[in-house]
Amino acid sequence: MWSTTLTRTLSFNTALMSAAVILAAVLGGGVLLIARRIFSRRKALRSLSYPASLMRGKTVIVTGANSGIGKATAAELLKLQARVIMACRDRRRAEEAAQDIKNQAGANQGELVIKNLDLASLQSVRSFCEEVIREEPRIDVLINNAGLYQCPYSRTEEGYEMQLGVNLLGHYLLTNLLLDLLKQSAPSRIVVVSSKLYKYGSINFEDLNSEQNYNKAFCYSQSKLANLLFTRELACRLDGTGVTVNALTPGIVRTRLGRHVNIPLLIKPLFLLVSWLFFKSPLEGAQTPLYLACSPEVEGVSGKCFANCEEEQLLSKATDDHTAKRLWDLSESMVGLRR
């Protein structure tokens, strides 16, 4: 009896303390939230400084354009009167996002097109590229935005570790198959979305496909480092073609990217508060890809990485030409471009 009462008392006290912590966090963060929202709005309006017709007559492909940074980027490009191709895996979600984007874009908007693309299937990538080459006379910008973050172990259609397959190999094949059209459309641009978490990765050539061991955090960081090395090698190969390629690290953004991360139920309210206080909104996160896609300031700039619309200095492992070349050659073989 005494033990049961004690247990109930401790449980009540624990719940009370948890509620107090959450309440204190909410009250204590109120002022910061207001300041954050005011400051964020000022930053988010940066895209409005571009001329309204800046992208008229230009065609832009955005992978993963149905949510998060990709959706926000597509929306801003549509406002700038671009022809935006939403390259998405889930047709239903893409159509819902497209309707939302159109409703927000206003009267003088560009054109929005949905095409199916599953980066976890190299056959899907090939089919997408065949359709684009057949139907589109030009591609002015390719934004490699889609990605997976710390998902449970799974494999792509071809048997590659999912984060490596989607974040690197799918985009590697996509970019290479569209290069001729991009060159014909020059001056044109390629934008690669990486992450600051590249700092915690390395290219494990001995087990690139994680067949011996799978660490979801390492594999994500490895794939984002691979994005930067891909950008560096591609920039060298495109020198003199009129096609530029640059990478970016968007920072921490409130998107569905972290949907595979399990947050304890008790901590979730506090996490949501912190995310609203300190994480970027998707529109804020979209400012750097938008900048690299259309700003005159980066015309002719290639092989660089940007953060907050400014050039970012990378760690030496992200600028290693030998590793970049080795990874390029291996990727070429893995996606079937090297016979």
Side-chain angles (χ1 to χ4, degrees), residues 140-159:
D140 297 277
V141 185
L142 169 63
I143 303 179
N144 291 338
N145 162 79
L148 286 174
Y149 175 74
Q150 295 194 20
C151 59
Y153 183 77
S154 57
R155 293 177 179 246
T156 67
E157 190 174 278
E158 288 75 23

Side-chain angles (χ1 to χ4, degrees), residues 100-163:
D100 189 34
I101 290 170
K102 289 177 182 177
N103 291 341
Q104 296 179 28
N108 297 318
Q109 59 182 256
E111 182 183 0
L112 208 55
V113 178
I114 299 173
K115 292 185 184 294
N116 180 257
L117 173 64
D118 183 358
L119 289 161
S121 165
L122 297 182
Q123 182 54 51
S124 174
V125 175
R126 291 188 177 91
S127 297
F128 171 85
C129 292
E130 289 171 0
E131 182 179 350
V132 168
I133 293 169
R134 183 174 63 251
E135 298 179 356
E136 303 295 330
R138 61 182 300 112
I139 295 295
D140 297 277
V141 185
L142 169 63
I143 303 179
N144 291 338
N145 162 79
L148 286 174
Y149 175 74
Q150 295 194 20
C151 59
Y153 183 77
S154 57
R155 293 177 179 246
T156 67
E157 190 174 278
E158 288 75 23
Y160 298 122
E161 186 274 313
M162 190 62 74
Q163 294 186 90

